[in-house]
Amino acid sequence: MGWIDKLKHPCCPHAFRQRAGSKFSVELRAGLTTFIAMAYIISTNALILTDSGGPCDCDREKFGATCETDPAYATCLQEVKLDLITATCAISCLACVLMGALANLPIALAPGMGLNAYFAYTVVTYQNAVAAVCIEGIIFFVLSVIGLRQWFARLIPLCLKTATAAGIGIYLAFIGLQSSAGIGLITGSPATLVELGGCPPEFRDKNNLCTSHHMQGGPTWLGIMGLMVIGTLLLYRLKGAILIGIVLVAIISWPRPTSVTYFPYTEAGKRRVVAFHPIKHTLSSYHWDLSSGEIWIALITFLYVDILDCTGTMFSMAKFAGYMDDNTQDFEGSSMAFLVDSASIVGSAFGSSPVTAFIESGAGIAEGGKTGITTMITGLMFFISLFFAPIFASFPPWATGPALITVGSMMMRNVISINWNYVGDGLPAFITIIMIPFGYSIGYGLIAGIGSFIFINSAVWILHKVSGGRICPPNFNERDNWVEFVTRGGFKSNIPPWIMRLFGKQPVSLAPHHDVGSENELKEIAIENSKSIH
C-alpha cells in the first residue's frame, strides 16, 4: 500500500466502508479529472450570465438598446463578469463538498449549462431571474424533504432510466466534438444544421461557422491525438489514463509561438496567475415583483427542466458507477443528493443560475471515483479556483473534449440493457436517447420519452382490459413489467413514509419478489445439509 493510500483511514473512513475497493489516491485522481473536465464552467457561466446585463443599468434612450457606447455600463459589466466568476467557484465548491460529505456520491454540481442561457437571454430582467431561481430552490428543498422528488424519480420506467444514461453518453460526445467545450470537429451549418468543421480560427465567421479549410485546424488534430492517446492508455488499463490525456494536450497547447497555442499574442491570450475578486454587484440582487407573468413562466421552466435534468443525470451517473438497485430502481444516498441539489437557493444569493448535477462527473467515475471523496476533491479545486481562476481556465476545450467523448462511449454500454424486443419499451427508450443530444437537454429528452411511453403503453393496457385480454401485442409477455413493480408494493414503497403514517398506514419496504416454492426448497436443502454435518 502506498503512503497516500494510508490517508484513507483518517480521512472520512465511513465513506470508504460504504464503497468496496476505494482508495484515496484513486479518489484524488478522479476528483481532479472531474474538475478539469468541468472547469470550463468557471468562465463560460460568467460569460453567458453577463450577457443578461446583470444589475447594471444605463440610459437606453441615450446610448441605444445595447448600451455599447456607455463607458459606465461597460465598466459595470466587466465587474459583474468577475463577480460571477467568483460566484460560480463559490457555489460549485459548496455544492460539491455537501454532495460528497452528506450523500457520499461522486457526482459534482455546478450552475447548469442551458438553464444559464435561458436565464440570460429569455427572462426579462436579471433580478427577476434571480428571484425565480431562489423560489425554485425553496420548492426543490420542500419537495426533497417530504420525499416527493424521490417518489417521482423512482416511478420513471426502468427502460427510460437506462436510455437516459445512453442518451447522456451521446450528449457528452456531441459536446466534446464541438468547439465551445471540445475539439471542434463538428460545427454548425445553415443548410444541414451540423457539418464537419476543424478549421483554423481565422476561417470562421461571426457565428463560429467554418467558411473554408475544413479539417485543417491544428487544435482539432491535437484533440484527435488526445482522444487516441486516452483510448490506447485505457486499452492497457493504465491508471489515470483520462487525466494523462487531458494534461498532455493542455501542456502542448500552452507554448505561444505554435499553431495550436491557447495563448495567442492578443488580448484574449493574456492570463494572470493569481486573481481574487470580491463580489460587488450580484450578491442578493433580488427583485420580488411576483405580479409579473415573466417570473412565473421562468419559475415553471426552471422547475420542470431542472427536476428532469437533475433526475436524469443523477440516475445515469449512479447506474454508470454501479450504484443502482434493480429491485427498488433507486440508488444509495438519493434522498440526501436531492436535498443537496436544492443548493439553488444559495446560487441565487450569489446571483447565479440554478445548480445541478454535471454529466462531466462521468469522467471522474471512469477514473475510479466511488465515494464522496471524489466530489469533495472537486469542491476543493473550485475553492482554490477562487484565487487561481486564470490558471484553471487555461485548459483548452480541445484538451477536455477527448475526455468527454471517451466517457460518452463508456456510457453507451447501457443500451444493451434496454428491452428492444418489445416496442412499448424500445421505442420510448430510443426517443429518449436521440432527443437528449438533438434537443440539447436531458430534461426535454425525458419528457419526450415519458410522453411516448405513457401514450403507447396506455393504449395497449386499455385495449387489453376492454377486450378481456384477447387483444394484446404478440410479445406482450416480453415487456418490462413496470405495472407489476407498481402493484406488488413498489408504488407504496415509493410513497414517503410520513404520508403513509398520516393516513394511518405503515410504511412499506420493497423487498425482493421470491418464489415460495423455490424458497421452501432452499429451506429443505439447508435442513438436509445441517443433518449431514451433524
Side-chain angles (χ1 to χ4, degrees):
M1 179 186 295
W3 65 269
I4 197 168
D5 290 333
K6 295 179 181 178
L7 293 174
K8 69 181 182 180
H9 295 293
C11 185
C12 197
H14 175 67
F16 283 97
R17 283 199 298 268
Q18 292 182 347
R19 300 283 190 269
S22 58
K23 292 184 179 181
F24 184 81
S25 57
V26 177
E27 302 292 321
L28 175 62
R29 187 174 66 240
L32 291 174
T33 303
T34 299
F35 171 75
I36 292 174
M38 60 186 293
Y40 70 89
I41 195 63
I42 296 175
S43 56
T44 305
N45 186 58
L47 185 64
I48 292 175
L49 294 182
T50 301
D51 286 345
S52 69
C56 303
D57 196 11
C58 78
D59 188 348
R60 300 186 184 277
E61 293 183 358
K62 179 179 179 181
F63 295 101
T66 60
C67 297
E68 292 179 353
T69 58
D70 185 353
Y73 183 75
T75 301
C76 179
L77 284 184
Q78 184 61 30
E79 291 183 349
V80 166
K81 181 179 178 181
L82 297 174
D83 285 355
L84 291 170
I85 289 176
T86 301
T88 302
C89 293
I91 299 162
S92 303
C93 169
L94 177 63
C96 288
V97 170
L98 288 176
M99 177 65 79
L102 301 180
N104 189 30
L105 292 170
I107 302 175
L109 297 96
M113 292 292 292
L115 283 176
N116 56 6
Y118 179 83
F119 184 107
Y121 304 126
T122 306
V123 181
V124 175
T125 66
Y126 173 83
Q127 291 89 343
N128 277 346
V130 172
V133 172
C134 181
I135 298 173
E136 179 221 24
I138 295 172
I139 294 174
F140 265 19
F141 184 80
V142 172
L143 292 178
S144 300
V145 168
I146 64 180
L148 289 180
R149 277 190 75 184
Q150 299 88 309
W151 176 71
F152 166 75
R154 293 171 189 168
L155 289 180
I156 296 176
L158 179 61
C159 63
L160 299 187
K161 292 177 185 175
T162 306
T164 301
I168 288 177
I170 302 177
Y171 188 24
L172 269 177
F174 190 42
I175 293 172
L177 289 170
Q178 299 176 59
S179 58
S180 58
I183 63 178
L185 184 61
I186 298 297
T187 185
S189 168
T192 59
L193 296 183
V194 293
E195 66 177 4
L196 197 65
C199 59
E202 59 268 25
F203 296 100
R204 295 177 184 171
D205 61 16
K206 61 180 181 180
N207 296 319
N208 207 31
L209 306 181
C210 289
T211 57
S212 63
H213 293 72
H214 295 263
M215 293 303 295
Q216 296 183 29
T220 296
W221 283 107
L222 183 58
I224 293 174
M225 183 207 74
L227 178 61
M228 297 300 103
V229 169
I230 292 175
T232 304
L233 296 179
L234 285 173
L235 186 64
Y236 288 95
R237 299 184 181 180
L238 183 67
K239 294 181 179 179
I242 296 178
L243 184 59
I244 291 172
I246 293 174
V247 173
L248 175 63
V249 174
I251 291 175
I252 296 175
S253 304
W254 286 339
R256 273 191 161 179
T258 66
S259 61
V260 295
T261 183
Y262 194 48
F263 304 114
Y265 287 105
T266 62
E267 188 66 27
K270 295 181 180 179
R271 289 289 191 277
R272 296 171 62 188
V273 177
V274 180
F276 175 75
H277 176 80
I279 298 178
K280 298 179 180 179
H281 299 281
T282 62
L283 199 64
S284 300
S285 185
Y286 298 115
H287 180 58
W288 301 103
D289 183 15
L290 301 182
S291 61
S292 170
E294 287 81 6
I295 190 173
W296 291 106
I297 295 174
L299 173 61
I300 295 171
T301 303
F302 284 147
L303 196 60
Y304 81 82
V305 172
D306 206 10
I307 283 180
L308 293 174
D309 201 325
C310 178
T311 300
T313 302
M314 283 193 178
F315 272 88
S316 298
M317 291 299 111
K319 187 173 184 63
F320 183 47
Y323 301 152
M324 285 289 292
D325 188 322
D326 292 334
N327 185 50
T328 62
Q329 297 184 20
D330 195 10
F331 61 92
E332 179 186 344
S334 61
S335 298
M336 191 57 67
F338 285 125
L339 277 174
V340 173
D341 178 59
S342 60
S344 298
I345 305 173
V346 181
S348 67
F350 284 91
S352 182
S353 54
V355 174
T356 188
F358 254 61
I359 54 180
E360 284 80 1
S361 303
I365 295 173
E367 277 293 331
K370 296 178 179 294
T371 74
I373 299 295
T374 294
T375 316
M376 294 175 72
I377 294 296
T378 303
L380 176 62
M381 296 305 297
F382 273 113
F383 175 77
I384 297 175
S385 298
L386 285 168
F387 309 96
F388 297 94
I391 293 179
F392 295 112
S394 299
F395 285 89
W398 55 86
T400 56
L404 301 183
I405 297 171
T406 303
V407 174
S409 71
M410 294 177 179
M411 296 189 69
M412 280 301 295
R413 71 183 64 165
N414 291 292
V415 295
I416 64 175
S417 301
I418 296 173
N419 181 22
W420 296 109
N421 295 324
Y422 185 70
V423 176
D425 295 326
L427 182 58
F430 179 72
I431 291 174
T432 302
I433 290 174
I434 62 174
M435 282 302 298
I436 287 176
F438 295 162
Y440 222 74
S441 169
I442 300 169
Y444 293 154
L446 265 174
I447 290 172
I450 292 173
S452 58
F453 182 90
I454 291 174
F455 182 88
I456 294 173
N457 289 282
S458 295
V460 171
W461 182 81
I462 291 172
L463 288 174
H464 181 75
K465 292 297 182 182
V466 170
S467 65
R470 290 186 295 273
I471 302 178
C472 60
N475 58 341
F476 188 61
N477 293 330
E478 296 182 18
R479 72 193 188 283
D480 285 338
N481 203 340
W482 177 81
V483 176
E484 181 184 350
F485 168 74
V486 172
T487 56
R488 69 178 171 84
F491 182 79
K492 290 183 179 179
S493 71
N494 283 326
I495 298 177
W498 71 270
I499 294 181
M500 296 291 290
R501 295 190 182 97
L502 183 64
F503 288 93
K505 305 290 185 180
Q506 287 296 321
V508 178
S509 177
L510 183 59
H513 182 67
H514 297 294
D515 180 64
V516 177
S518 300
E519 193 171 318
N520 292 333
E521 290 176 5
L522 290 175
K523 289 180 180 179
E524 292 176 2
I525 293 173
I527 294 173
E528 291 296 330
N529 289 338
S530 63
K531 288 180 179 179
S532 62
I533 293 174
H534 292 293

